[in-house]
Amino acid sequence: MADKPRILINGKDMFWSLVPLLALIALVAIASGNCSVGLNQDPADSKVPAFDVVTALDADARQMPFPIRRPPTPEGWKPNSGSSDAIEGHRVSTVGWLSASKAYVQLSQTDASEDLLVPYLGGSGTDYGDVGATGTREAGGRQWVTYETAEGKKFWITDFGSVRVGVLSRGPDADIETIAASVATQQPLDA
């Protein structure tokens, strides 16, 4: 059988030539286990590997020039991230969890001032921008200043003297309060 003349090849021919290729790609992705559809809503069932908060905060306690506190992971929560960053020459230790309510909750600890931490957590550059203080809350026996951005990102900040601690989430205040109360009652890790 002779090949079709080039002038007669159209989009339908292109489509049918891509179908086997796409089927092969889907088969390889499914077989490798590196893709998921995400039909279940439980963060504990996620294929994203858990992050080791204990090791990360222990390492930060040895490396950071300020005391680090390590709250225990609440029941039903999944640690999923951690990083070290800087704010105008001040170091920041950050870890995060997916809460039981399926919200991301971030804990940041730094020796930077609250004036520097607020825009860092609020994502508004070098000034307060669209971040507004909304009041104060008590958690873990400490007073926390509460903030919220126009986009609904909420965070609480408290001052331990040489360290400022911020807890951030777009989820319910109960998730923020869980980590805030927990971290406030912890003793600093050994450096």
Side-chain angles (χ1 to χ4, degrees):
M1 178 187 248
D3 285 338
K4 204 184 231 188
R6 188 172 190 93
I7 190 97
L8 297 177
I9 295 176
N10 60 20
K12 186 169 90 173
D13 296 312
M14 174 87 67
F15 171 78
W16 286 112
S17 66
L18 287 177
V19 167
L21 179 63
L22 294 175
L24 180 64
I25 290 171
L27 181 65
V28 168
I30 291 168
S32 71
N34 287 330
C35 72
S36 65
V37 183
L39 296 177
N40 60 5
Q41 295 291 322
D42 187 5
D45 292 338
S46 172
K47 291 205 181 246
V48 175
F51 180 77
D52 189 353
V53 169
V54 172
T55 302
L57 290 176
D58 284 347
D60 284 350
R62 289 188 303 272
Q63 296 173 357
M64 298 291 180
F66 53 86
I68 296 286
R69 289 171 169 77
R70 182 182 63 225
T73 297
E75 185 70 33
W77 289 39
K78 182 177 182 183
N80 74 339
S81 61
S83 66
S84 295
D85 204 357
I87 309 172
E88 295 188 20
H90 299 277
R91 303 284 306 273
V92 182
S93 168
T94 298
V95 293
W97 297 265
L98 290 178
S99 73
S101 67
K102 300 164 189 58
Y104 174 72
V105 181
Q106 172 183 310
L107 168 67
S108 295
Q109 303 177 69
T110 183
D111 60 348
S113 68
E114 187 169 338
D115 289 341
L116 294 174
L117 186 57
V118 168
Y120 175 81
L121 294 175
S124 60
T126 57
D127 57 27
Y128 285 82
D130 62 351
V131 178
T134 58
T136 60
R137 295 281 295 263
E138 186 175 319
R142 297 200 61 85
Q143 193 77 4
W144 297 76
V145 180
T146 61
Y147 295 89
E148 187 168 355
T149 68
E151 297 82 29
K153 188 188 319 181
K154 297 175 279 188
F155 53 94
W156 300 5
I157 296 176
T158 193
D159 191 332
F160 281 93
S162 62
V163 180
R164 260 61 53 213
V165 175
V167 182
L168 172 147
S169 183
R170 290 181 190 268
D173 284 354
D175 286 349
I176 298 174
E177 186 171 6
T178 297
I179 294 298
S182 182
V183 76
T185 61
Q186 300 303 309
Q187 290 299 313
L189 299 171
D190 293 331

